[in-house]
């Protein structure tokens, strides 16, 4: 395993919302980044998202460096072989176990044996993902929160064979990005989604069953518990498809208390996924 001081190039697999956010914070921390996705259109979209995010942060005086200099440290690619020189790789692909296992098996061949492989998965087993490689001790969960450039936390998830040194490395790397960490065992949903998904689903059910309007469900939770977003707002922000996938995974693993609320299924079927599509429980510009 490479020491933190030896990390110069960070590979990111996936240029979507989480992948481009991870690429941005790594570049902001001074690392060179190679961000890979399966199609050039996805890569370009991810790089455009980084440009927009850096511009917003710069306009608020939140950057200590010129945004063009940060952006220059991020290269996009569709070739997995372009990650060969990475000193650390973070996977942020879709939440589907077969896809993640295929990516990790390919990464196992593509990068040096002492490179740590991390997954940004929010619910799937790190142990199962790691078993697709010949280096399960060097596989760890680095679960960033969305939006990555803004949220302060990273969840470090320790699989069955993750070494203590790799877990410590994951905490140190996240801290170097300016994040605070907590650690979870490799149990379904980890800490965050194990607690968050039933909270969101119960908020949706309260609205659906007429307990209160959606606005008052969200307002009550914000004012009553001092959270920044209510459950329906947060579901829209995360993406209702992501909420549904996570809830279904937890339902399968942990039983009926994690059953997804029906209105979420209905909206996903309609293509109303929240803020990213302009319509979810609320409407957005």
């Amino acid at each position: 395993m490479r020491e933190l001081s030896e990390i110069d190039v960070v590979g990111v697999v996936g240029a979507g919302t989480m992948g481009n956010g991870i690429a941005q914070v790594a570049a902001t921390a001074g690392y060179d980044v190679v961000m890979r996705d399966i199609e050039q259109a996805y890569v370009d979209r991810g790089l455009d998202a980084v440009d927009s995010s850096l511009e917003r942060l710069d306009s608020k005086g939140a950057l200590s460096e010129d945004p063009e200099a940060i952006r220059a440290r991020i290269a996009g690619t569709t070739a997995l072989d372009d990650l060969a020189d990475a000193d650390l790789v973070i996977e942020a692909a879709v939440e589907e176990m077969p896809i993640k296992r295929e990516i990790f098996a390919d990464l196992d061949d593509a990068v040096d044996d002492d490179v740590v492989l991390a997954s940004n998965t929010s619910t799937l087993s790190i142990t199962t993902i790691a078993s697709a490689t010949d280096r399960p001790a060097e596989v760890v969960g680095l679960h960033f929160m969305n939006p990555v450039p803004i949220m302060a936390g990273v969840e470090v998830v320790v699989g069955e064979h993750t070494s203590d040194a790799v877990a410590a490395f994951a905490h140190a790397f996240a801290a170097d990005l300016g994040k605070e960490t907590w650690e979870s065992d490799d149990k379904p949903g980890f800490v965050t989604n194990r607690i968050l998904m039933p909270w969101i689903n119960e908020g949706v059910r309260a609205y659906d069953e007429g307990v209160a309007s959606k606005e008052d469900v969200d307002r009550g939770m914000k004012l009553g518990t001092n959270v920044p977003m209510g459950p329906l707002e947060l579901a829209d922000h995360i993406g209702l498809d992501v909420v549904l996938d996570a809830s279904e995974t937890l339902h399968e693993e942990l039983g009926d208390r994690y059953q997804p609320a029906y209105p979420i299924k209905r909206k996903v079927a309609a293509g109303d996924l929240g803020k990213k599509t302009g319509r979810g429980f609320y409407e957005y510009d």
Side-chain angles (χ1 to χ4, degrees):
M1 186 198 78
R2 299 183 186 182
E3 300 296 326
L4 183 62
S5 60
E6 299 175 295
I7 307 301
D8 296 315
V9 179
V10 176
V12 178
V13 178
T17 300
M18 298 304 294
N20 67 61
I22 293 167
Q24 178 181 324
V25 297
T28 301
Y31 294 99
D32 290 327
V33 179
V34 180
M35 183 174 68
R36 183 257 181 179
D37 213 313
I38 57 174
E39 292 185 16
Q40 188 61 45
Y42 301 156
V43 175
D44 293 341
R45 194 177 305 154
L47 294 173
D48 287 345
V50 172
D51 288 337
S52 297
S53 177
L54 289 173
E55 183 179 341
R56 286 194 301 272
L57 291 172
D58 188 50
S59 70
K60 298 176 181 178
L63 298 178
S64 60
E65 186 179 9
D66 186 77
E68 286 78 12
I70 297 171
R71 173 63 178 79
R73 288 195 282 269
I74 305 175
T77 184
T78 58
L80 193 72
D81 289 344
D82 287 342
L83 299 177
D85 293 329
D87 303 301
L88 163 68
V89 179
I90 304 170
E91 169 272 322
V94 296
E95 283 287 277
E96 296 182 22
M97 181 61 80
I99 292 175
K100 290 189 184 292
R101 283 178 53 83
E102 181 179 356
I103 289 170
F104 272 74
D106 290 342
L107 288 171
D108 199 29
D109 293 332
V111 303
D112 290 344
D113 293 342
D114 60 346
V115 171
V116 169
L117 303 179
S119 176
N120 182 59
T121 181
S122 59
T123 55
L124 300 177
S125 168
I126 293 298
T127 302
T128 304
I129 292 170
S131 68
T133 76
D134 291 327
R135 65 180 89 188
E138 279 73 50
V139 177
V140 67
L142 273 174
H143 177 208
F144 290 80
M145 304 295 114
N146 182 33
V148 179
I150 304 300
M151 297 293 283
V154 174
E155 188 168 46
V156 174
V157 185
V158 178
E160 181 71 19
H161 296 293
T162 304
S163 72
D164 291 343
V166 166
F169 167 85
H171 284 284
F173 174 74
D176 199 49
L177 301 185
K179 306 296 186 183
E180 296 185 51
T181 58
W182 61 95
E183 189 168 307
S184 174
D185 193 13
D186 187 22
K187 300 288 174 60
F190 318 135
V191 171
T192 48
N193 279 335
R194 187 184 184 104
I195 296 169
L196 183 62
M197 288 305 123
W199 183 76
I200 288 175
N201 278 293
E202 196 56 35
V204 172
R205 291 189 188 99
Y207 161 57
D208 190 47
E209 294 169 8
V211 174
S213 68
K214 60 190 175 186
E215 292 85 1
D216 278 346
V217 169
D218 284 337
R219 188 178 296 116
M221 292 310 300
K222 286 188 288 187
L223 296 177
T225 64
N226 204 30
V227 293
M229 290 187 191
L232 285 82
E233 287 179 281
L234 183 57
D236 274 0
H237 187 82
I238 292 170
L240 300 184
D241 53 337
V242 176
V243 171
L244 180 60
D245 285 345
S247 297
E248 287 179 335
T249 297
L250 292 169
H251 184 213
E252 181 179 345
E253 294 285 347
L254 297 173
D256 285 347
R257 72 185 190 273
Y258 287 93
Q259 184 171 3
Y262 178 70
I264 295 176
K265 294 183 178 181
R266 186 174 59 212
K267 288 188 177 295
V268 170
D272 297 335
L273 307 183
K275 195 170 183 180
K276 61 187 174 184
T277 60
R279 182 192 297 270
F281 287 104
Y282 298 93
E283 293 188 4
Y284 306 87
D285 292 333

